[in-house]
Amino acid sequence: MRKLEELLRDNILRLSPYSCARNEYSGHSATVLLDANENPYNNPYNRYPDPLQQELKNVMAKLKGVSPEQICFGNGSDEIIDLLFRCFCRPGVDNVVAIEPTYGMYRVCADINDVEYRPVRLDDNFQLDADRLLNACDANTKLIWICSPNNPTGNLIDSGMIEKVVSAFDGIVVIDEAYTDFSRSVPFRLKLAKFPNIVVLNTMSKAWGCAGIRLGMAFAQKEIIDIFNKVKYPYNINVLTQRYAMDALKDSFRVEKWINTIVEERGRMVAAFRALPVCRKIYPTDANFFLAKMDDAQAIYDYLVRKGIIVRNRTNVCMCENCLRVTIGTKSENNELLAALRQY
Ligand SMILES: *Cc1c(COP(=O)(O)O)cnc(C)c1O
């Protein structure tokens, strides 16, 4: 890995961050808070949130098997994705490399930040060839984007291949594991000690059932997290979100049950889709959705919309011609979808 000072943008390296009231004071015994121009009424929502979310990080760290200093929370993972571009990539100069097809936000954030985006196609089984990915890199490549299990394809990317990329690349490899709870593979956040140049993304939006509260997270070595903390908005995670997340994390048993049910339903749905005359192929999945190649994805999508059932039409995505991406719902939602398709 290149030195962090070489990878970061100069302005970010030199940045002296905004110091907010709740940053400057962080003792425990204060009872009179007259430092932040807050309204003294309407407790507790009159108070600014903890800018570094210490309480939540302590709980999350235990749950995820990392240390609190290795966590940065974002307003969804989407905030962290943007943060990575802003910290590492010089607009108009640097570039990033990513697998293709994959999650659309990486390209959108690259475009917003005026950073060249270099997609490298996966093979016919949606698997990664480490050498092809590495060949797309040059001296100005700061980030490599890998998503596993991948969206919209659903499959795990071979972890040996990912490790090969991580070992050979001298910049940062971002591994988006938004769907890791639905798979049995060892999560990359547990390999931080071995690979100092990875940034792993997780989210509360999928298995944890909290898409509405907007809480995503990055796991990385402390030196990288310190940079994120300097650049992010001081109060990026609001009080309501921090409180709700604290409560949600207490009930990981409930989440385990959801995951088991969803994975079981996934097996049933994949088998049922295979039996449909209009379904040509189901791709292997380790996520809470699957990708299905159909006879005519647009026509089936339109038909389902008329029935009030919305799936994701991915036919215009590279290598996903005539594919629908179907999220696993409740048993009865899944049955509605199957009933509609059997009538098609
Ligand atoms: C859904 C998803 C996310 C989650 O984004 P949030 O902003 O945390 O809701 C991240 N990455 C991928 C690949 C996803 O599919």
Side-chain angles (χ1 to χ4, degrees):
M1 180 184 174
R2 271 174 279 176
K3 285 207 194 79
L4 211 47
E5 301 85 77
E6 287 170 39
L7 286 170
L8 288 164
R9 291 167 68 193
D10 269 342
N11 58 316
I12 299 298
L13 194 60
R14 291 193 315 264
L15 179 73
S16 59
Y18 176 72
S19 179
C20 60
R22 289 298 125 81
N23 257 343
E24 291 185 2
Y25 174 77
S26 63
H28 288 291
S29 54
T31 50
V32 181
L33 291 172
L34 304 177
D35 58 343
N37 298 348
E38 298 149 332
N39 181 325
Y41 308 111
N42 194 35
N43 238 329
Y45 301 111
N46 61 327
R47 298 297 173 194
Y48 279 105
D50 174 1
L52 292 175
Q53 310 99 16
Q54 283 308 342
E55 208 186 354
L56 189 56
K57 276 181 190 165
N58 291 338
V59 177
M60 190 67 84
K62 284 209 184 73
L63 194 91
K64 298 282 188 177
V66 301
S67 79
E69 301 79 49
Q70 294 174 318
I71 304 176
C72 178
F73 288 122
N75 187 335
S77 320
D78 290 346
E79 181 186 357
I80 312 273
I81 293 169
D82 187 55
L83 205 48
L84 277 153
F85 280 100
R86 289 197 290 141
C87 289
F88 288 103
C89 302
R90 291 169 293 178
V93 178
D94 288 331
N95 67 73
V96 304
V97 167
I99 60 171
E100 172 98 340
T102 193
Y103 187 45
M105 273 304 284
Y106 315 142
R107 185 195 285 273
V108 171
C109 282
D111 289 347
I112 289 170
N113 288 285
D114 193 17
V115 171
E116 184 196 347
Y117 185 84
R118 299 182 174 180
V120 176
R121 278 194 189 208
L122 298 169
D123 69 17
D124 289 340
N125 297 315
F126 292 135
Q127 275 304 331
L128 164 69
D129 179 336
D131 292 324
R132 285 193 52 223
L133 206 64
L134 291 163
N135 281 338
C137 300
D138 63 19
N140 287 337
T141 306
K142 296 295 187 63
L143 309 172
I144 291 179
W145 293 87
I146 296 173
C147 181
S148 177
N150 193 20
N151 182 1
T153 61
N155 63 302
L156 272 171
I157 305 296
D158 180 82
S159 61
M161 275 292 173
I162 297 178
E163 291 186 16
K164 189 172 165 187
V165 171
V166 170
S167 303
F169 183 53
D170 60 4
I172 304 287
V173 181
V174 186
I175 307 168
D176 187 341
E177 295 194 312
Y179 300 98
T180 188
D181 300 292
F182 300 103
S183 91
R184 301 242 171 271
S185 67
V186 180
F188 267 88
R189 63 174 185 269
L190 301 180
K191 305 180 193 177
L192 275 174
K194 188 170 173 201
F195 301 118
N197 62 328
I198 60 174
V199 173
V200 179
L201 306 184
N202 276 195
T203 179
M204 293 289 282
S205 298
K206 307 289 156 64
W208 283 83
C210 293
I213 72 170
R214 310 306 300 130
L215 189 67
M217 64 208 83
F219 306 113
Q221 57 157 303
K222 180 180 179 299
E223 287 67 24
I224 295 177
I225 297 297
D226 288 345
I227 300 288
F228 289 166
N229 286 337
K230 241 172 46 156
V231 175
K232 75 174 186 67
Y233 290 153
Y235 301 116
N236 62 329
I237 310 297
N238 67 68
V239 173
L240 295 162
T241 293
Q242 291 192 43
R243 294 191 146 218
Y244 188 86
M246 284 294 287
D247 284 342
L249 292 182
K250 283 181 194 138
D251 208 351
S252 58
F253 184 68
R254 184 175 66 147
V255 177
E256 281 305 312
K257 280 199 297 191
W258 285 338
I259 292 169
N260 288 337
T261 307
I262 289 168
V263 168
E264 201 181 300
E265 277 293 284
R266 181 179 75 195
R268 184 175 77 93
M269 289 299 282
V270 166
F273 257 70
R274 282 212 178 95
L276 292 171
V278 289
C279 178
R280 287 194 196 160
K281 178 175 181 166
I282 304 285
Y283 293 92
T285 176
D286 270 278
N288 65 335
F289 62 85
F290 60 92
L291 192 69
K293 199 182 256 316
M294 312 300 277
D295 274 345
D296 184 344
Q298 186 66 51
I300 295 169
Y301 175 82
D302 293 339
Y303 164 79
L304 289 172
V305 168
R306 287 196 297 275
K307 299 235 159 198
I309 300 170
I310 316 299
V311 297
R312 198 85 198 266
N313 184 2
R314 299 280 74 184
T315 192
N316 292 325
V317 172
C318 158
M319 301 175 77
C320 299
E321 202 189 355
N322 274 318
C323 285
L324 298 178
R325 193 193 69 189
V326 180
T327 306
I328 306 301
T330 63
K331 231 176 206 121
S332 72
E333 288 172 333
N334 300 335
N335 286 340
E336 268 191 61
L337 172 62
L338 291 176
L341 286 173
R342 283 171 186 143
Q343 283 169 23
Y344 177 75

